[in-house]
Amino acid sequence: MRIGTGYDSHRFDAERELVLGGVLIPGHAGLSGHSDGDAVAHALIDALLGAAAAGNVGSHFPPTDAKWKGADSIELLRQAAAILSNRDFEVVNVDITVVCETPKIGPHVEAMRERLAGAMSLTIAQVSIKGKTNERMGWIGRGEGLAVHAVALIESGSTRSPL
Ligand code: MG
């Protein structure tokens, strides 16, 4: 078993659509960034790659590369999951916390779990997401952007016990 953590933060940008966990959330400012700004996907990718000691989102999908401009971060997550399976790792479970004052995360949790699980070829039961506010403190409290924490547990095929 190996464990990895991931963190990401993005500024809100009123000119963009909000995509979080692969889900379009209408009626709220989006997130700035080179890709679609999906901080949930980015933090999760870093947790997965970190667990495998296989680099990070920036090393595999550099923002300096025009190829990733406006990229669908769910596609990047799919590629990160493939990097792990190529190294004979299986994901056991992932857990994600989104920290923001708005939007409310709760109503979108099930759709996000479905999108993220699909991209990693996992069951929904292996994917947890929850929202927290920052109690109106600091930059998150002022609504300047949001932050995401993620943790991933993975298992190596060579040590996996037979069912
Ligand atoms: Mg990011």
Side-chain angles (χ1 to χ4, degrees), residues 21-83:
V23 175
L24 181 67
I25 300 178
H28 194 282
L31 295 168
S32 66
H34 190 70
S35 65
D36 59 9
D38 188 341
V40 167
H42 299 170
L44 180 52
I45 290 169
D46 268 0
L48 293 171
L49 294 174
N56 60 43
V57 68
S59 64
H60 287 278
F61 315 108
T64 47
D65 189 336
K67 187 160 78 171
W68 308 118
K69 184 162 169 55
D72 174 0
S73 295
I74 288 294
E75 181 52 37
L76 306 187
L77 176 61
R78 201 171 278 127
Q79 291 187 34
I83 290 167

Side-chain angles (χ1 to χ4, degrees), residues 44 48 77-78 81 84-85 89-96 112-128 151-155:
L44 180 52
L48 293 171
L77 176 61
R78 201 171 278 127
L84 264 65
S85 67
F89 286 118
E90 276 188 10
V91 179
V92 177
N93 73 299
V94 302
D95 186 23
I96 299 161
M112 290 184 201
R113 291 174 73 199
E114 205 165 302
R115 285 284 279 155
L116 298 174
M120 296 180 286
S121 302
L122 300 179
T123 65
I124 289 171
Q126 291 170 287
V127 180
S128 163
V151 61
L153 188 67
I154 67 172
E155 194 171 17

Side-chain angles (χ1 to χ4, degrees), residues 136-162:
R136 297 191 196 154
M137 293 182 290
W139 61 267
I140 295 174
R142 291 190 297 272
E144 293 172 21
L146 58 72
V148 181
H149 301 265
V151 61
L153 188 67
I154 67 172
E155 194 171 17
S156 170
S158 55
T159 59
R160 201 174 302 131
S161 54

